[in-house]
Amino acid sequence: MAIRVLLVDDQPLLRTGFRLILESEPEISVVGEAADGHAALADTRRLLPDVVLMDIRMPGKDGIDATREILRWARGSGQQVRVLVLTTFDLDEYVVEALRAGASGFLLKDVPPDELAGAIRVVADGAAIVAPTVTRRLLDRFADKLPTSRERPAPQLDHLTEREREVLRLLARGLSNAEIARRLVVSDTTVKTHVGNVLTKLGLRDRVQAVVHAYETGIVRPGEDED
């Protein structure tokens, strides 16, 4: 079945461009367009998209509030809706809030067409599209805008084993599963198991949330060098 996509952006030309790109993909179907967060929530309820391609800064209800409300509605109704946020580098600080709101990742607005389609497939499949290295660069740059950074107590971290803490630390530094496996001299399967345990114990949805959580709780500090 085709992946159902809702486009949300206050700029009609951008929506048209994204529609042309995505409608050329046989397994992706654009089911609607919305120009603000209020319309995005209403259209999500009506059209039941698999993925909402969400702009951040829009008049009225912005993309962060819309993301939060869409995903709250999806959880309550049992719908599987993913949100993929669109941004530009001058709006990076909003990306952190979008990830906190539950977005499955983000893309830059000048993303190449093949990467846009690939990202939608990844998110629709339940994975996250934000590269950990990019997430770390964002958090390093905007750490002072994270109100809970370095301050919030994290008793849930006590549930992690020492090895799981190390995996979380390496994950937050941008290492892939294969790179973590080489660093710890274990198999890829073992790393996947550790990552799964970390997500379960911390109540996180995916690696993106794990990276943000690692910074917020002090597992990794902005600007910290690798060992």
Side-chain angles (χ1 to χ4, degrees):
M1 295 180 62
I3 300 170
R4 298 167 57 82
V5 177
L6 173 65
L7 303 177
V8 184
D9 197 297
D10 63 327
Q11 299 183 48
L13 286 178
L14 279 177
R15 295 200 307 270
T16 298
F18 289 135
R19 177 183 282 274
L20 290 173
I21 291 170
L22 296 177
E23 287 188 339
S24 68
E25 301 288 332
E27 73 278 26
I28 295 176
S29 174
V30 177
V31 296
E33 298 181 17
D36 59 49
H38 291 291
L41 179 58
D43 286 350
T44 297
R45 291 171 170 170
R46 179 173 60 89
L47 299 171
L48 303 179
D50 301 303
V51 177
V52 178
L53 196 60
M54 179 76 74
D55 187 20
I56 291 184
R57 181 171 287 186
M58 296 178 291
K61 187 184 295 294
D62 64 23
I64 295 171
D65 286 341
T67 294
R68 188 177 294 110
E69 293 188 20
I70 285 172
L71 296 178
R72 184 184 302 123
W73 169 81
R75 288 191 297 270
S77 62
Q79 296 293 324
Q80 293 294 324
V81 181
R82 305 283 180 174
V83 177
L84 184 57
V85 167
L86 294 168
T87 187
T88 54
F89 273 123
D90 61 335
L91 294 180
D92 281 345
E93 61 267 36
Y94 295 98
V95 171
V96 175
E97 293 304 320
L99 296 178
R100 283 175 168 168
S104 294
F106 70 89
L107 295 173
L108 301 181
K109 284 191 174 182
D110 59 357
V111 61
D114 58 333
E115 291 185 19
L116 174 63
I120 287 174
R121 296 187 192 98
V122 169
V123 169
D125 197 39
I129 195 58
V130 181
T133 51
V134 177
T135 305
R136 183 185 182 187
R137 186 169 67 248
L138 292 178
L139 292 172
D140 280 352
R141 181 177 174 186
F142 295 104
D144 61 332
K145 296 181 174 65
L146 296 173
T148 56
S149 182
R150 302 176 179 149
E151 298 175 359
R152 190 180 68 188
Q156 66 269 42
L157 292 178
D158 294 338
H159 299 300
L160 300 183
T161 66
E162 188 58 37
R163 178 47 60 93
E164 288 165 353
R165 282 173 176 259
E166 182 63 15
V167 168
L168 176 58
R169 188 175 297 111
L170 295 174
L171 188 156
R173 287 175 173 167
L175 275 67
S176 66
N177 283 358
E179 290 169 333
I180 294 173
R182 288 194 294 271
R183 177 72 65 88
L184 300 180
V185 195
V186 297
S187 68
D188 287 4
T189 301
T190 298
V191 173
K192 290 179 182 178
T193 299
H194 287 316
V195 171
N197 289 342
V198 168
L199 298 181
T200 299
K201 290 181 179 181
L202 298 181
L204 304 173
R205 185 185 64 247
D206 53 41
R207 295 170 70 100
V208 173
Q209 288 193 337
V211 173
V212 174
H213 188 82
Y215 275 80
E216 289 185 330
T217 56
I219 288 289
V220 172
R221 298 293 190 187
E224 183 179 62
D225 293 330
E226 293 190 23
D227 297 332

